[in-house]
Amino acid sequence: MAQNRQNYNSFSAEPTARGMPTINERNEQGYLSSEQTSPSCSYREAQSPPIVPREAEMLTVDRKWKVEQEIADKLVGKGGPSGLVPLAKWLATILMGGGVLFLFVASKVTFLELAMHLDQQKPTVAVSKDNVNNWSRYTGQMLIIFLALLLPYGLQLLRAIKNGLFARSAPWPKATGILACLVVGTLEPLGLILLALKIVPAYGPGLGVLVMGCSVCLSAAAASVLTCAGYGDGTRAGSFMTLATFLLLGGLTGTIYLAVSHDSGIANLLHVVGCLLSLNVAWLPWLQHHMNESNVIFLENSTEFRQACFGSSVSTIGSQESVSGAGLSTSSSVTSGVVSGPSGDSIHMYAPSTTFPPPTASGSRRTPADAQPKTKFYKKATWKASIILHLTEVVSTFILTYILFYIDVAGTEFPLQSSFSSHMHDAFLNAWTFSESIASSQTYWAFGWNLISSVVCYILVFLVLHTNMQKGSLGLPLVFSLPLSLLLVSQSDICDHILGSSPVCHQHVGQIEYLIPTAAALVLGQLFSFGKQLFIKGRVSLLKETELFWTPAYNGAAIDSWLLLNCKQSLRAGKLGIRAAAKPPKMRVYICTTMYREDEDEMRQLLESLDKINKAQQQGETFFESHIVFDGGVQRKKISEFALVLISLLEETLGTKPTMCTKIVTPYGLKLSWALPGARGKPLMTFNIHLKDNMLVKNKKRWSQIMYMSYVLDFLTDASTPNEEAYILTTDADVKFTPDSVEALLDLMSRDNTIGAVCARTHPMGEGPLVWYQTFEYAVGHWFQKTAEHVMGSVLCAPGCFSVYRCRALRDVLPKYCKKVESAFDFLTKDMGEDRWLCTLMVQSGWRIEYCAASENSTNCPAEFEEFYKQRRRWIASTLANLMLVIREWKYIDLFNERVSVIFLVYQGLLLFSTLIGPSTVILIVAGGLVYAWGFNSVAAIILQVLTCIGFTLICLYLSQKTQFTAAKILTFVYAAVMCAVAVGTAEQIVNDLSRRSASNSTKPSNGSSTTTTTTTARPASDISLDVQVSITTIYFGFLVGVYAVAGLVHPREILCLLHGVWYLLCLPSGYLILTIYSICNLTDSSWGTREASTVSAVVKKKSWHDIYKDTFYAIFFCCDPRQDDKRGGSDAHTSPRILRSASVTSVATVGETGSRFEEGGAEQGRSLTPNDPTEYEFLASDDNFARRESLEERPEVDLDEVPIPVEDWLPPELRSKYADILKRHGFDNTLFIKALTEKELIRMGIVKRGHVQFLLAQIALLPAFEIEYQVPTNVKDWLNDIGLIMYRENFRRNHIRTPKEMEILKRFDRKDIARELGITKEGHIKRLLFAIRMLRDPSEGQLRAMKMRQAIDDSPVHYMIENNVAEFAFWNSLREKCLEPDLKAFGIEAEVKLKLVQLRNSWLTILAVSNTLWLILISTLATKADLTVIGANPVGLIFLFIFGFLFLLQFLAMLVHRTYTLSHYLARASYKYGKPMNTNWSFSDKRNTYFEDTEDLNAIRQIKYDEDRAFRRTLRSKKREKSAKVNITQTPARHSERTLAPQNGRTSGSPNERTSLPPNERTPLIPNL
């Protein structure tokens, strides 16, 4: 669509030949005026008014209320985070840093303690029959150490199998990677086993601490060499690494010297050397890196790479550097980066060494296009490599422990044959009985602390790096862990106070004069080598585990040294360096809103939110654009009242004048565009309103979504554009949000390319009990359900009210999302819950949807009972349908989405089951509560409720909506009253349980004696047991209360939502019983439910009893009916479907076209209709209609949209003679009255032929609205003339109704009064007059503004897309033809779908009734059988409680996990300094954007740049000498992160023209810079 965007840009930026003012020109003027009269300044003008005439000054009544002004000023001045944010960040840093340091020391010291326990139990003689017990205790200590090493490896092996083995897209490592896994998996256990079994027992804990600290020496030395090679000698980085290497080598030398001076023998010295070599080699980051390499390599932007990564497309993340000069150019793609695949692994990019061709004779060094070097991409095999690594570690631990414990012991200290004797075998078997082999409890404590501290430490370090708090929470603990550990083991007093009488506290640590310098050298060496990287600014936040660590693993011994080397962010220099900052990819954000009939306040809060976004986006360079798709916003070029209200608010909220718009007629209706005001030099945000004509395109929200999705995906963005990412921020028309909320959503989206959408926390707004009920419901839904879906797999519904969607994800699902409804089930999923179905398609396509609790928004919720029930009727049906769809089509999710596990499927199945039996559960709860409260018979209570449900079901099936709501309100009130009694009864039962438990074993003294008598009460059948004398109901209720209390505590800002739980409890039966029945019974209702248009009821004369008797008699004895002759008259006028369609055009063509296209340039006036004209319907008109139209076009001042057409001219000739008199007799003289006709009225008037009725209804739908504005007329004459009833002027005069004061009586008139006193008896005239009387009132301020806006917008020049932007017109026309064109009801499948909906409703009702009836019978019957109880409850009921309890517990645990995730997100974004903005991966201020790429072989890439620059400079110098040319090219040295690029073809590399792939002479900025 590059050509499309060119045309779109040309339309926006270039004036047309007809003198059309462009959006660029208009907003240049609007910009200057808005800068002077923006909303932020307009209210201050009263304080310093300009010098204007007196009558132009602002009056006091025009000013803003002080309270509103103060609130607005506070909101404007409220910038940046709260002052408590830095305090919370510092507190979290201190707590987490202290925890990490404690866990470092605890893990290390407990491991040393286990080794020292082994030395204490070491026998002095060889094994024999007499000392088998001694050897058993010695072997038991060895087994404890063995388990301390094995269990972490085993747990990590299971985790790697879970994450890697079942991930089909995750590759296996290549041959060198497998070899590296085998080497590391063998050497690491060898070094740790030597440390535990040999070194610590022989040399003591002091030397053990030093050996752990020496494990980074080889890595530091290698990094130093590579750093110097990459940066050159003498650089600061090279000096630091060289100094660190010498310090570490000094520490290593001191450690070996202390080992030699200990004089423990050559064997133990060899153990020290072997341990140091094993750990240093195994923990080399270079080796860790090569373990994860796979053979999955793709060339840059290849199809295979896109399909492997994302299934459709991928944004190449990186930077291209090129240098060009006068006649000289070179281009080398040195891109590097990392993107995330669907399985969670990373796809890393690296640039191989590339040989560039030598310069030509002219000095040019151009490379052919087919020989251009391309970046290679390979996918990391992290989890598959972890499987091999941990499996090797487990096997190696088994084998090496046996070798080093038995064979080495036998060969050095005891006879060799002792290790193979039967006594040794007996000792080994006895050692597994730890109760006998382990005598000291300190061993168990040390073992437990070691296991727990190591795993918790790893998790805490991950959180520290994840939240970007490594400076204080990881860097400092790494520095102090070694000296603190050494201090603890060397000072026996401190050690005894902390550890008790531990063997690690009473060992000689060696020569203190050598120990301290050695430890200092190791600490400083670690700090200068790798530790200093943790203190460097510019780290990226919220990275995944595989992006933070080379290998996602840990050990229980030297976890601090291991994490120091395993952390990727700690290495930046040389070939081992991986983290390098790069320019973030360009982002385009389209804010798309669907709007229908929102009121003024709701529109205002949306526009105010958009204004905040407009001001925030001016801080950076991210492209923002706003689009509002207004359903029914225009009808035949006449803008609706609701759309006018929206336009009238623009100047007040957005600071732009409504008249400064570009009005364009489009194939779907009308488009209005504005460029919002902004600071000079900053990108402007455009605001577009797309007004849909429902006669041109389909109505309803899903089709509006398809419109803006396709517009963004296929026209505004280009999927092939590299290094660019586009998002759609969907909002509802009544939503309220802030830039911080948008920033939080985009922050999550920008860090993980596998996330397809992110939704936010929604808060309901409004007043009243129903709003309070929804406040609690929304809170619980987000706290538990959304978090459970997020943690276990993927959120299944990102509401369209406020969510961000990735355009690449929408491109995958839009082909399916735009399909029509073809079955009843399709209707429930597609039209009743479009947002949920869209998310279901995204999950099926492999995308993940997340929930961001850090982002908040507010929206209006239903406050009326009817509106609430209608909304939930849609939600319940769509939720059930989509749950069934997820379970039924699980195979697709399992095939494409590896992040959604079987556990998630089981969870959704249990939710569906619990929803299915929800009504019977409510009945049982109410019946049980009535038993406790009033002693009501439980069976009678159940039967009474069942009969009530049956009665309400019949009401919903056969009676009107009004009757249904009346019955629902009565039942809601009755059940609320009953729930009060249920709550009291349940509380009484709980109190009785607790009091009975306290009194069950009471002791009472007997008659003055010292003895006591124990009286034990009998155990009630409801108690769990004699020991646990409470009922399962009490425990379950206590569990629920505890869960809600904890949930409120972890949501401190929302804890007050729990107070509304009272309303939720009272309305529980209404929400889970009455509402469920209502929703299932009304599945056939296709209405939206909320914001429906209020219609004027048909005012047709009611038939008397004798007329009804006549109709009945003649219907039976039709041969005697004298009216048959009239009915037979039209039998010959049969119209075929094709003629019907053509005939419908006739009316449109007759009344639809204005006499002039343009206000100036009269040459275009009177243009004939063409099929390609976007302003007309694609129908052919008859000759008769063209003739009538030509007669009207002779009067150019007449607006055909507003001129009523007589009924004789409106009806086609074949129907004129039959129905013209009938319509006129009933008062439908012209189209002004005909517009209000309904199907029932046509039938009652005697037009009974279905074909004719259908044809007339189609014609009526095409007529203009003929609206009546709210007003109080100055006189009756003008008023009657405006409403088309001027013929009754004398009737009003005779009744003394002439002035506005006298017209007040009309507000009390009904139909009979009008007929009796005014003499108006025709139905059409009465209907029009009643509607006009209803509009007799003073208009509100908003309506007054809307009236003014109509005139202003109508006076604006009209432009036609077909002439100004052919590409965009072709796009809209193509989209309309493919999926947006309204269906003809006669030939659609709506009738068939309705019939299938009835069948589906009946089947759902049957399933609901049968399942709940069986459940009620089963539970109520088992409740009467005392012998069939388990822990005081019947088995089935117990299973039911366990299912509900399990679901609730699962949601509770998921909530805790998600709260931790939200807290980490919050802490990662927080700043340490007061007043500083939040730190994010993406922000409105591009200066703070930090995007990190995984730059493999960074040193090699820099070397390529360095060599290329040197060759280029040599070429330039040679050319200067040979040709004496003046060439001035400035380049930055290659070791810097970026180079200044010379202009290419007159453009810099950062030009906005690079947003498209068009040639330079064809590129036009999409949004002009004003």
Side-chain angles (χ1 to χ4, degrees), residues 155-168 343 383-384 387 791-792 898-899 901 903:
L155 293 175
Q156 293 168 81
L157 176 61
L158 296 176
R159 183 165 174 262
I161 291 174
K162 171 185 173 295
N163 294 331
L165 190 61
F166 302 106
R168 290 179 295 272
S343 63
W383 291 112
K384 293 287 178 68
I387 296 175
V791 172
M792 287 188 288
E898 296 175 354
R899 294 194 176 189
S901 61
I903 299 176

Side-chain angles (χ1 to χ4, degrees), residues 639-658:
I639 303 176
S640 68
E641 179 184 349
F642 291 93
L644 291 172
V645 172
L646 174 67
I647 298 171
S648 67
L649 295 172
L650 296 184
E651 186 171 8
E652 174 188 348
T653 55
L654 297 180
T656 183
K657 293 185 177 180

Side-chain angles (χ1 to χ4, degrees), residues 175 457 895 1170 1367 1406:
C457 182
L895 181 63
T1170 61
T1406 303

